[in-house]
Amino acid sequence: MKRFPTLHGPRAFAVVVGLTDGILNALTLAAGHFVSGQKPTIQLSIRIAAGSAICGVFVFFTAEYARLRGELLDAERQLNLSDRGRLATTNLGRQVRREAVVSAFASSVSNFLGAFFPLWFGSVIPGRTLFALFPSVAALGILGALIARSIHAKLSLWVLALTLSGVLFSILGVWLHIA
């Protein structure tokens, strides 16, 4: 029997942040476009995904680097080292920077894919343009299921929470009417 996929490993956090951010950004930016009766082109899907990924990489790197550097400072305090910032100048400091860069890259790629594929799929499905929002909302529901399975949480709660967030961000996107 094949096991249901889960999100584990050193980059799971980065992937979840990237996918969630990408899908929600895509919904917010494109919802007004869909409701006005236009399906996005592949070019618009790429532009929205690229914009989301570019912003996301800087946000994620900044937060992750600050978090990891903070952990080094906590370790210095626990070890009673007299010089603050000493560990950051060692190999540990370089590892922290490298880890933040790799995680930010993983988050950015996930962000791009999370924004692009549901938007693109929504643009090619037949029917009313409003139906084009469904792939993004469904992708959030699938992500909720993966998260719930990964952390042994209540599946229905995670699927419902992420799906509702997609609907709310779509409504916000219609109100903002950005693209």
Side-chain angles (χ1 to χ4, degrees):
M1 184 169 161
K2 196 168 189 180
R3 207 174 90 113
F4 190 82
T6 57
L7 296 165
H8 289 292
R11 305 284 174 257
F13 179 75
V15 169
V16 169
V17 168
L19 288 172
T20 306
D21 189 40
I23 296 167
L24 291 176
N25 273 321
L27 281 168
T28 305
L29 294 172
H33 195 80
F34 288 134
V35 172
S36 69
Q38 301 172 328
K39 288 191 176 185
T41 62
I42 193 156
Q43 291 83 6
L44 180 63
S45 299
I46 290 170
R47 287 188 357 243
I48 287 173
S52 182
I54 290 167
C55 290
V57 73
F58 288 107
V59 169
F60 192 90
F61 174 79
T62 303
E64 184 70 350
Y65 186 65
R67 182 184 71 80
L68 293 171
R69 280 290 296 259
E71 287 180 5
L72 279 181
L73 291 174
D74 287 344
E76 286 177 348
R77 191 175 60 251
Q78 290 173 3
L79 293 170
N80 291 323
L81 297 178
S82 58
D83 293 337
R84 288 285 185 221
R86 178 103 172 137
L87 286 179
T89 62
T90 65
N91 190 39
L92 287 174
R94 287 184 291 282
Q95 285 177 327
V96 160
R97 195 169 29 260
R98 195 170 27 255
E99 174 64 25
V101 167
V102 170
S103 291
F105 179 76
S107 180
S108 184
V109 168
S110 299
N111 192 317
F112 183 88
L113 296 174
F116 176 73
F117 281 112
L119 269 184
W120 172 77
F121 188 67
S123 71
V124 298
I125 62 172
R128 299 189 57 193
T129 55
L130 192 57
F131 292 158
L133 294 171
F134 291 157
S136 294
V137 174
L140 284 167
I142 292 166
L143 181 60
L146 286 170
I147 293 169
R149 292 288 186 199
S150 297
I151 63 173
H152 303 287
K154 193 168 185 177
L155 181 75
S156 59
L157 182 64
W158 275 91
V159 170
L160 181 65
L162 286 184
T163 301
L164 283 178
S165 71
V167 171
L168 291 174
F169 274 73
S170 297
I171 293 167
L172 178 66
V174 169
W175 180 68
L176 293 172
H177 196 28
I178 296 169

